[in-house]
């Protein structure tokens, strides 16, 4: 993606769906940003059946020079189309892209200024993140970052798969380091893919300040999935990343650990298709096949002895 000639420094990209309970707090987090540069707010409402769109419209009417909103008539996510990648990123005019989903929110009014200042002064980074809190369904806040991390921390592809540092709400991306062709080749281009490919271009960094809150709730697309369901999706995404990046040994070991977890877990004992999928063309010449074969008998026994 080439930078476009304009005076907008940051494009805030927000995807929303059924977020009527949360979207106002999200938008207020955008508006409160104190910056010495211009930013724009791009929102896609993916045909929400609740009042999300009407709440967004109030803000759009109040700040017409700040907001650009895409009110989608039909839900695109259900069709396999990702509004973030397919709608918001192509429309972004800024030199940098910040991401925040419509149920998360920012808490630091200097978040964007801190991140832009860093990337402007450090051209060797493709992206930067910051610490965040997780708000549980029961109202309890948790600090998700590794407790031993108390300084700015450089992130490369190896560290990225060893320790998960971030959520999309913490990210600021140098748009010139985005390569659309890299993401469109993926069937499931999630945030894992986005950040991994950015770190393949240049390193990233997690800045040591807490700038926002990741919200877990029953209506969240990811939160609705069980822990095992999340693990299964993550493994499939990692499998696809591996198919394009077979030389990353840290990635290989990470995938191996995840696949062994899935194969041996009782909750998947009736899923014979999982075994077949893990033995696809991606893994024919991959050392993980040895692990699959090792656990094959116990996996099939679980399948045959299902209740």
């Amino acid at each position: 993606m080439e930078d476009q000639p304009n005076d907008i420094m940051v494009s805030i990209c927000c995807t929303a769906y059924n977020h009527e309970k949360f979207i106002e707090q999200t938008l207020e987090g955008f508006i409160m940003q104190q910056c010495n540069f211009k930013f724009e707010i791009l929102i896609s409402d993916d045909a929400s059946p609740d009042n999300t769109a009407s709440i967004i419209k109030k803000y759009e009417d109040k700040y017409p020079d700040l907001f650009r909103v895409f009110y989608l008539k039909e839900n695109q996510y259900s069709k396999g189309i990702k509004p973030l990648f397919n709608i918001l990123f192509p429309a972004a005019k800024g030199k940098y892209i910040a991401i925040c989903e419509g149920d998360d929110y920012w808490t630091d009014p200097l978040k964007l200024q801190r991140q832009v200042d860093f990337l402007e002064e450090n051209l060797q980074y493709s992206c930067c993140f910051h610490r965040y809190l997780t708000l549980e369904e029961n109202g309890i806040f948790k600090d998700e970052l590794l407790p031993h991390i108390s300084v700015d921390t450089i992130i490369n592809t190896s560290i990225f798969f060893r320790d998960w540092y971030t959520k999309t709400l913490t990210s600021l991306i140098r748009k010139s380091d985005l390569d659309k062709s890299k993401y469109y080749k993926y069937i499931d281009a999630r945030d894992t893919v986005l950040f991994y490919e950015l770190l393949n271009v240049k390193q990233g960094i997690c800045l040591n300040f807490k700038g926002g809150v990741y919200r877990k709730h029953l209506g969240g697309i990811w939160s609705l999935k069980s822990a095992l369901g999340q693990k299964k999706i993550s493994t499939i995404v990692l499998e696809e990343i591996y198919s394009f990046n077979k030389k990353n040994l840290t990635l290989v070991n990470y995938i191996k650990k995840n696949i062994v977890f899935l194969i041996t877990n009782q909750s998947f004992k009736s899923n014979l298709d999982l075994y077949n999928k893990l033995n696809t063309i991606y893994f024919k010449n991959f050392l993980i096949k040895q692990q699959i074969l090792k656990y094959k008998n116990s996996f099939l026994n679980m399948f045959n002895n299902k209740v």
Side-chain angles (χ1 to χ4, degrees):
M1 293 183 179
E2 297 295 329
D3 291 340
Q4 301 176 24
N6 62 83
D7 58 351
I8 295 176
M9 182 67 80
V10 177
S11 296
I12 301 171
C13 293
C14 175
T15 55
Y17 179 74
N18 270 12
H19 290 156
E20 65 177 0
K21 296 179 181 179
F22 317 119
I23 191 66
E24 189 166 358
Q25 191 171 24
T26 303
L27 300 182
E28 288 292 338
F30 300 160
I31 293 169
M32 76 174 182
Q33 291 301 302
Q34 299 172 14
C35 308
N36 61 12
F37 51 79
K38 289 184 64 174
F39 62 87
E40 63 176 354
I41 301 172
L42 306 183
I43 304 177
S44 68
D45 177 72
D46 204 4
S48 297
D50 64 1
N51 293 318
T52 300
S54 61
I55 295 172
I56 295 172
K57 186 65 168 61
K58 292 179 182 178
Y59 279 83
E60 183 185 24
D61 291 343
K62 187 175 181 180
Y63 304 97
D65 296 332
L66 198 57
F67 280 78
R68 284 197 287 148
V69 185
F70 300 84
Y71 299 99
L72 307 180
K73 301 300 182 183
E74 296 181 358
N75 185 270
Q76 300 300 298
Y77 189 87
S78 62
K79 298 179 180 181
I81 299 172
K82 302 289 181 65
L84 183 64
F85 288 89
N86 299 99
I87 298 174
L88 298 183
F89 279 5
K93 296 179 180 179
K95 181 178 181 180
Y96 300 100
I97 293 177
I99 307 171
C100 186
E101 297 179 21
D103 50 354
D104 301 326
Y105 60 98
W106 297 342
T107 55
D108 187 342
L110 296 176
K111 167 200 154 65
L112 290 182
Q113 186 69 60
R114 293 173 190 262
Q115 292 183 293
V116 167
D117 286 347
F118 179 87
L119 290 181
E120 285 287 281
E121 296 172 3
N122 298 274
L123 301 180
Q124 70 273 31
Y125 292 87
S126 63
C127 51
C128 67
F129 312 102
H130 55 71
R131 299 179 66 139
Y132 67 97
L133 297 176
T134 292
L135 177 57
E136 302 284 348
E137 182 75 18
N138 59 11
I140 296 177
F141 288 90
K142 292 184 178 180
D143 188 344
E144 296 288 355
L145 196 61
L146 300 176
H148 64 275
I149 301 299
S150 58
V151 295
D152 294 350
T153 305
I154 294 175
I155 306 173
N156 55 34
T157 53
S158 296
I159 294 174
F160 179 69
F161 286 107
R162 188 189 68 200
D163 299 322
W164 182 254
Y165 283 94
T166 191
K167 294 290 185 183
T168 52
L169 73 102
T170 77
S171 62
L172 187 72
I173 297 166
R174 194 184 302 277
K175 192 172 71 172
S176 60
D177 288 331
L178 280 171
D179 183 345
K180 290 188 294 184
S181 63
K182 289 183 177 180
Y183 306 106
Y184 293 154
K185 69 184 179 183
Y186 286 90
I187 296 173
D188 200 344
R190 294 174 180 266
D191 55 344
T192 307
V193 171
L194 172 64
F195 298 142
Y196 179 76
E197 290 294 350
L198 282 167
L199 294 175
N200 265 336
V201 178
K202 298 174 185 174
Q203 63 190 359
I205 192 167
C206 181
L207 301 177
N208 187 35
F209 73 91
K210 295 175 185 175
V213 174
Y214 171 74
R215 191 192 304 270
K216 288 185 178 179
H217 60 94
L218 295 179
I221 293 177
W222 186 249
S223 302
L224 279 174
K225 301 182 186 301
S226 66
L228 290 174
Q230 293 177 359
K231 200 78 172 180
K232 182 177 180 181
I233 290 173
S234 296
T235 300
I236 292 172
V237 171
L238 288 170
E239 176 185 342
E240 193 173 17
I241 292 176
Y242 166 75
S243 70
F244 300 116
N245 303 275
K246 296 184 179 181
K247 295 182 179 180
N248 188 318
L249 294 180
T250 303
L251 173 60
V252 167
N253 291 329
Y254 189 88
I255 294 175
K256 179 167 67 174
K257 180 178 67 175
N258 278 268
I259 290 176
V260 170
F261 173 89
L262 287 174
I263 294 175
T264 58
N265 195 286
Q266 289 284 340
S267 296
F268 283 96
K269 65 182 181 181
S270 63
N271 193 355
L272 187 58
D273 289 340
L274 178 62
Y275 167 76
N276 293 328
K277 176 169 182 55
L278 297 181
N279 205 19
T280 61
I281 188 171
Y282 291 155
F283 293 94
K284 283 187 176 178
N285 298 310
F286 181 32
L287 59 85
I288 189 59
K289 186 174 182 180
Q290 298 175 5
Q291 292 291 329
I292 294 174
L293 294 175
K294 178 180 177 181
Y295 288 98
K296 177 179 179 181
N297 290 335
S298 60
F299 179 72
L300 294 180
N301 286 337
M302 287 189 289
F303 175 76
N304 293 329
N305 296 328
K306 65 181 180 179
V307 178

